[in-house]
Amino acid sequence: MDVPELLEAASLLVPEEAATGNDITVRDIWDYLVHDEWETALGLLEELGEARSLPLAFWERLAEAAEQLRLERSAAWCHWRCSELRDGVVRADLTLRPAAEARRTTPLSGAGVLRPVWDIGHLSPTGGRAVSVARLWVENRPVLEPGGRATVRLVPLTPSHWTHVQPGQRITMHEDRSVAGTAVIVEVRPPATTMPAR
């Protein structure tokens, strides 16, 4: 499919009553599509997707359209949302340790490329700390500086390791044996395939 077809197909998966914070609806997006304003339509569809739970096919079509438009960050975000639906997502308030106190002295990428390990309370068979891997996306920021604080989204590589994690729980991020940051869980969403029907 080409870009207009992908965006049209995605828009058909959005309920008619859905609206962005600025009251933009699917009907408005169709006007952008008619006038070949594909990048604007894509951005508005992403915004509509944030406001409600939409199916995996919605985000897959947006990802493909973003790739064809060569919008790398948008494509990465849409692929990320696909991962969240498949594997679940944990949102947390993360504070990185300052550069003087930690191994990391440079900002970390906010676009889902980092796969740190997390101490989420599991123990190894020998009684030592066991860690679990989760990819990290920083919300609304391209990078997170050492000592900085932001809301992050974590997609576990092994979702079954994270089923006990709950809002309010404190977890630690590691890039080596030392603590790189501390996070407090604010939201946990299971994979879409295990979510109860509504």
Side-chain angles (χ1 to χ4, degrees):
M1 281 192 255
D2 62 15
V3 170
E5 292 171 328
L6 288 164
L7 295 174
E8 288 171 13
S11 70
L12 292 172
L13 296 170
V14 179
E16 268 189 58
E17 71 277 3
T20 68
N22 297 327
D23 291 326
I24 302 290
T25 66
V26 175
R27 290 178 192 258
D28 298 311
I29 292 170
W30 278 90
D31 288 338
Y32 288 108
L33 291 174
V34 166
H35 293 98
D36 295 335
E37 295 181 42
W38 304 332
E39 191 172 333
T40 301
L42 174 67
L44 291 171
L45 283 166
E46 286 179 26
E47 196 175 332
L48 281 172
E50 294 308 308
R52 50 181 52 242
S53 295
L54 293 174
L56 180 61
F58 171 83
W59 291 105
E60 288 172 335
R61 287 179 175 95
L62 291 188
E64 190 174 340
E67 286 172 352
Q68 288 186 31
L69 290 169
R70 300 187 197 291
L71 301 171
E72 291 178 22
R73 177 119 177 141
S74 186
W77 174 243
C78 293
H79 283 298
W80 179 270
R81 294 289 288 151
C82 290
S83 296
E84 288 185 357
L85 289 169
R86 283 190 298 270
D87 301 322
V89 63
V90 174
R91 293 181 65 241
D93 182 20
L94 172 66
T95 303
L96 292 180
R97 291 182 64 196
E101 299 175 13
R103 175 180 157 243
R104 176 172 288 281
T105 58
T106 60
L108 63 83
S109 169
V113 296
L114 188 65
R115 294 177 180 213
V117 296
W118 299 86
D119 181 349
I120 57 175
H122 288 298
L123 296 177
S124 71
T126 61
R129 178 185 67 194
V131 292
S132 296
V133 180
R135 291 187 304 135
L136 181 146
W137 185 285
V138 180
E139 290 187 358
N140 305 313
R141 296 167 82 173
V143 297
L144 183 58
E145 301 282 341
R149 181 178 173 185
T151 301
V152 297
R153 301 170 86 95
L154 308 175
V155 171
L157 264 58
T158 308
S160 62
H161 289 185
W162 293 72
T163 55
H164 72 287
V165 174
Q166 297 178 17
Q169 182 176 345
R170 185 175 301 274
I171 62 174
T172 55
M173 180 181 116
H174 300 263
E175 294 184 87
D176 59 15
R177 290 187 179 271
S178 64
V179 174
T182 304
V184 176
I185 306 299
V186 295
E187 180 183 8
V188 178
R189 282 189 239 152
T193 54
T194 63
M195 292 173 69
R198 296 181 191 192

